[in-house]
Amino acid sequence: MNKPDLKIHIGSLELKNPILVASGTFGYGLESKDFVDINKLGGIVTKSLSLRARKGNPPPRIVETPSGMLNAIGLANIGVERFLKEKLPLLNQYDTKIIVNIAASSVDEYVECVKIMTHEKIDAFEINVSCPNVHEGGLEFGTNVAKVGEITSKTVAVSTKPIIIKLTPNVTRISEFAQIAKDEGAAAVSAINTFVGMSINILSRKPKLFHNTGGLSGPAIKPLAVAKVFQIHKDVDIPIIGIGGITNHEDAIEFFLAGACAVQIGTHNFVEPNCTEKIIIGLEEYFIKNKINSIHEVIGKVNLY
Ligand SMILES: Cc1cc2nc3c(=O)[nH]c(=O)nc-3n(C[C@H](O)[C@H](O)[C@H](O)COP(=O)(O)O)c2cc1C
């Protein structure tokens, strides 16, 4: 049997395979280059960038939890200008797609970031309207359907590249958010960002994170994430990039069956920095063993009762 076809198109974005690294878990894409062959990846999603550099929250910003972790980094980043000068030229040496994730405290800031970067060698923008760990923007935007619509339409209007809206699971009906993203011109949605969680030290009685609450990620959230992808796929005709607790190719296949056309791996990069390479190999082997020629034979093909 020939090599299976893992290629995916999301608007004008062509991914050679559907395995991407998730924002905030792979730095600006270069920090892990000694551990993983970046050329093998379908794409890299950068750490969230804001117009100006941000220091983020004071420590402690990370705590391990059963089958997962809580983080409250608070969008620490070097800002758009330094990214373009110091990181993008190095990233452009690799044969993979570069998706720049943007976080902002106002609609105007999202628009400004896209405007500044849209003519650079960047393949798509992922708009983070879903960070649970900041006081302005973040969830305040991501849990408001009208705001998500406004951010989508205004970023689409100034972008020459596909706009992907990264959704929060901290809402009752995630499909409403996917629908408005589609209606306003998004090429895809990413589902999901982290769940709001909290962990408390029972001796000091202090929260384990300075920010008190944080975003829960890792295998603990995988079934919740698969269900969100399934819900969106059922309700809205838009490409979905699945995220949440993926550690191996079997996990990725669950997301594809639920309706995702690509996936991002986040927390597991910290555990096994070359896991994405292994997942790509595992996928190919699974496809060959099961006589599947193309990823399109799997997407959304869960056999429901
Ligand atoms: C330490 C850490 C930092 C993160 N930073 C960002 C970020 O800057 N922007 C963003 O959109 N998502 C961020 N995320 C969320 C991930 O991209 C991903 O949506 C989430 O962790 C769920 O996937 P996972 O369970 O595979 O980690 C971060 C996650 C972690 C664990």
Side-chain angles (χ1 to χ4, degrees), residues 7-15 239 261 296:
K7 237 186 262 133
I8 282 293
H9 292 91
I10 295 174
S12 60
L13 177 69
E14 179 182 298
L15 303 175
C261 65
H296 294 281

Side-chain angles (χ1 to χ4, degrees), residues 20-33 35-36 38 41 43-49 62 73 75-79 83 86-88 90-91 97-102 126 166 264-270 273:
L20 313 169
V21 286
S23 180
T25 64
F26 209 74
Y28 298 101
L30 300 159
E31 290 78 353
S32 302
K33 66 179 173 9
F35 306 104
V36 56
I38 290 174
L41 303 178
I44 289 176
V45 185
T46 67
K47 173 74 191 162
S48 278
L49 289 171
I62 277 181
I73 306 291
L75 300 176
N77 78 91
I78 60 175
F83 171 77
E86 296 171 21
K87 307 289 181 184
L88 188 61
L90 301 176
L91 270 178
K97 299 297 176 185
I98 308 301
I99 301 170
V100 168
N101 179 302
I102 299 173
E126 182 178 70
K166 184 165 180 181
Q264 296 177 13
I265 288 80
T267 301
H268 203 62
N269 288 309
F270 299 127

Side-chain angles (χ1 to χ4, degrees), residues 246-268:
I246 298 173
T247 66
N248 55 37
H249 73 275
E250 286 101 335
D251 294 340
I253 292 164
E254 279 192 57
F255 277 87
F256 297 137
L257 289 168
C261 65
V263 293
Q264 296 177 13
I265 288 80
T267 301
H268 203 62

Side-chain angles (χ1 to χ4, degrees), residues 182-223:
K182 179 191 156 91
D183 293 346
E184 298 301 339
V189 291
S190 292
I192 52 174
N193 208 319
T194 52
F195 285 85
V196 174
M198 187 174 191
S199 193
I200 301 172
N201 180 321
I202 60 165
L203 297 177
S204 66
R205 302 188 175 190
K206 279 187 172 307
K208 290 187 185 170
L209 294 172
F210 182 88
H211 189 69
N212 298 330
T213 58
L216 182 65
S217 64
I221 70 168
K222 195 191 79 182

Side-chain angles (χ1 to χ4, degrees), residues 59-105:
R61 314 203 278 192
I62 277 181
V63 59
E64 199 167 337
T65 57
S67 299
M69 67 184 277
L70 282 170
N71 90 80
I73 306 291
L75 300 176
N77 78 91
I78 60 175
V80 166
E81 199 181 318
R82 269 188 67 197
F83 171 77
L84 292 180
K85 216 183 286 166
E86 296 171 21
K87 307 289 181 184
L88 188 61
L90 301 176
L91 270 178
N92 284 148
Q93 295 172 1
Y94 292 96
D95 175 24
T96 190
K97 299 297 176 185
I98 308 301
I99 301 170
V100 168
N101 179 302
I102 299 173
S105 319

